[in-house]
């Protein structure tokens, strides 16, 4: 009951038919420096930075969006937090956007953004949506754009999905950089987070059913109250955050399947002070982790690899 008062929304209690394969490692990662605030989001349009993704096609660009309550806008930032442009996603609605992922097609070189309309605090929605849109090209002329005079993206694909077991709330969306498989981690107050997968051959014509592949815990209480995440550009690491810290897991060198990563023990990556941390992601060069927070004038936090 305490956490129901402390956090927005309470997760439903459910038993899992998949055992929790990973046991959290409470040690801090030795691979990263201390977190540093390198900028601040100053735009009045961005008040709830709920996801962050480093562009694969626009050098030095970070993408973010607001949580529920905003229209279907995405914002380009530099690492100082300066807004580089505002785009409205054609064919999309923001019911409860929670996370964003960047992806570059290895065959065509074309870049996409995936936005997860996956928030479900009251557990009233059985069908959720992920929007996939071609990433806009960012130019100096876009700096003057705003919600009132925003540019428009190409029409987004709406990827509809349902969970195989029950209705879930989720805030973590990731796309594997090589396979294009989509991963969603649920936000649970009472137990481990569920890891759900949507293979890249998903349908755009009908609703898809996710596959549950694991349970995942972090060294925190509650252990499954996850708010954001990302897969590294090389596809070998995963970073996940909650309101306290970030946590990283690494794929074993001899692993034959990426999904073996969910059996690994997470280590803590310190992110420093955040008002309400819901966004974390790798830099495009994989040398750092970026994080933001909900709230006005959110800091841009950078944690560099040693």
């Amino acid at each position: 009951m305490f956490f129901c008062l402390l956090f927005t929304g309470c997760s439903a209690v459910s038993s899992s038919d998949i055992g929790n394969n990973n046991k959290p490692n409470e040690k801090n990662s030795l691979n990263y420096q201390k977190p540093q605030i390198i900028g601040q989001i100053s735009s009045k349009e961005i008040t709830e930075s709920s996801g962050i993704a480093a562009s694969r096609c626009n050098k030095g660009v970070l993408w973010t969006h607001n949580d529920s309550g905003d229209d279907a806008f995405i914002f380009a930032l530099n690492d100082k937090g300066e807004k580089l442009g505002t785009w409205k996603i054609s064919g999309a609605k923001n019911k409860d956007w929670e996370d964003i992922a960047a992806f570059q097609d290895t065959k065509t070189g074309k870049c996409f953004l995936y936005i997860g309309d996956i928030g479900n605090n009251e557990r009233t929605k059985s069908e959720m949506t992920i929007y996939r849109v071609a990433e806009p090209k960012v130019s100096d002329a876009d700096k003057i754009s705003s919600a009132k005079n925003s540019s428009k993206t190409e029409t987004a694909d709406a990827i509809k999905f349902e969970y195989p077991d029950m209705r879930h709330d989720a805030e973590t969306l990731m796309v594997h950089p090589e396979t294009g498989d989509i991963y969603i981690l649920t936000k649970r107050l009472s137990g481990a987070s569920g890891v759900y997968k949507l293979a890249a051959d998903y349908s755009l014509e009908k609703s898809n059913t996710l596959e549950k592949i694991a349970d995942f815990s972090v060294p925190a209480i509650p252990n499954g109250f996850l708010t954001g995440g990302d897969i590294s550009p090389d596809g070998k690491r995963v970073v996940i955050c909650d309101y306290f810290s970030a946590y990283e897991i690494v794929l074993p060198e001899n692993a034959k399947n990426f999904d073996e990563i969910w059996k690994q023990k997470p280590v803590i990556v310190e992110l420093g002070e955040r008002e309400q941390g819901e966004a974390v992601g790798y830099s495009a060069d994989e040398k750092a982790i970026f994080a933001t927070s909900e709230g006005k004038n959110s800091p841009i936090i950078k944690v560099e690899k040693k």
Side-chain angles (χ1 to χ4, degrees):
M1 186 65 178
F2 170 74
F3 285 107
C4 292
L5 298 174
L6 184 59
F7 299 113
T8 301
C10 294
S11 296
V13 180
S14 67
S15 60
S16 172
D17 57 353
I18 297 180
N20 189 15
N21 294 319
N22 71 315
K23 293 184 179 180
N25 185 343
E26 296 186 6
K27 295 181 180 180
N28 284 18
S29 174
L30 301 177
N31 297 322
Y32 290 91
Q33 308 281 359
K34 293 291 185 182
Q36 293 184 334
I37 295 176
I38 62 170
Q40 184 180 65
I41 299 176
S42 57
S43 172
K44 295 180 180 180
E45 294 179 320
I46 307 170
T47 58
E48 291 186 290
S49 178
S50 189
I52 191 168
S55 172
R56 305 297 190 262
C57 282
N58 291 286
K59 187 176 180 179
V61 169
L62 301 173
W63 292 99
T64 192
H65 58 84
N66 284 319
D67 204 332
S68 58
D70 195 13
D71 209 333
F73 293 114
I74 54 173
F75 309 95
L77 306 171
N78 61 23
D79 61 8
K80 302 301 180 185
E82 299 167 331
K83 188 168 71 74
L84 304 178
T86 302
W87 283 262
K88 188 170 185 179
I89 298 185
S90 299
K93 294 181 179 180
N94 183 348
K95 294 180 180 178
D96 197 352
W97 287 9
E98 293 291 357
D99 207 358
I100 186 170
F103 173 76
Q104 185 171 25
D105 190 309
T106 55
K107 295 180 180 179
T108 65
K110 190 172 182 178
C111 284
F112 296 88
L113 297 174
Y114 289 69
I115 300 100
D117 199 340
I118 55 178
N120 194 15
N121 285 332
E122 304 300 325
R123 313 301 189 280
T124 57
K125 294 179 286 186
S126 59
E127 185 180 71
M128 314 300 287
T129 305
I130 299 165
Y131 293 107
R132 182 187 67 182
V133 64
E135 182 179 332
K137 179 66 177 176
V138 180
S139 66
D140 289 340
D142 295 310
K143 290 181 180 181
I144 63 172
S145 62
S146 67
K148 294 181 179 180
N149 65 337
S150 63
S151 301
K152 288 190 176 182
T153 68
E154 295 180 15
T155 301
D157 293 320
I159 306 166
K160 302 288 184 178
F161 73 87
E162 299 176 355
Y163 293 97
D165 41 20
M166 59 183 290
R167 296 173 182 177
H168 290 285
D169 184 28
E171 297 190 4
T172 304
L173 168 74
M174 299 179 285
V175 181
H176 193 277
E178 296 177 357
T179 64
D181 293 340
I182 299 171
Y183 292 85
I184 292 174
L185 275 66
T186 60
K187 185 181 183 183
R188 295 255 346 261
L189 186 62
S190 52
S193 167
V195 181
Y196 293 84
K197 179 179 178 179
L198 181 60
D201 60 351
Y202 49 78
S203 173
L204 295 176
E205 305 300 324
K206 62 181 181 179
S207 187
N208 301 270
T209 300
L210 303 186
E211 174 191 5
K212 185 173 185 181
I213 58 173
D215 280 334
F216 185 78
S217 294
V218 298
I221 300 173
N223 63 329
F225 211 67
L226 307 183
T227 60
D230 194 19
I231 300 174
S232 62
D234 65 1
K236 297 180 180 179
R237 290 176 290 146
V238 167
V239 64
I240 296 162
C241 73
D242 58 13
Y243 292 139
F244 311 107
S245 300
Y247 312 90
E248 188 175 57
I249 47 177
V250 180
L251 189 68
E253 291 186 5
N254 60 351
K256 297 181 180 180
N257 188 312
F258 173 75
D259 289 334
E260 293 183 37
I261 201 167
W262 305 113
K263 300 177 183 178
Q264 309 312 308
K265 296 179 179 179
V267 294
I268 297 170
V269 179
E270 294 182 32
L271 294 180
E273 294 290 332
R274 296 171 298 153
E275 181 177 336
Q276 185 172 325
E278 297 196 3
V280 68
Y282 288 102
S283 61
D285 62 8
E286 304 183 54
K287 295 181 179 179
I289 290 171
F290 288 108
T292 63
S293 175
E294 291 197 356
K296 296 180 180 179
N297 302 315
S298 167
I300 300 286
I301 298 168
K302 186 177 184 180
V303 189
E304 295 185 344
K305 290 188 72 175
K306 293 182 179 178

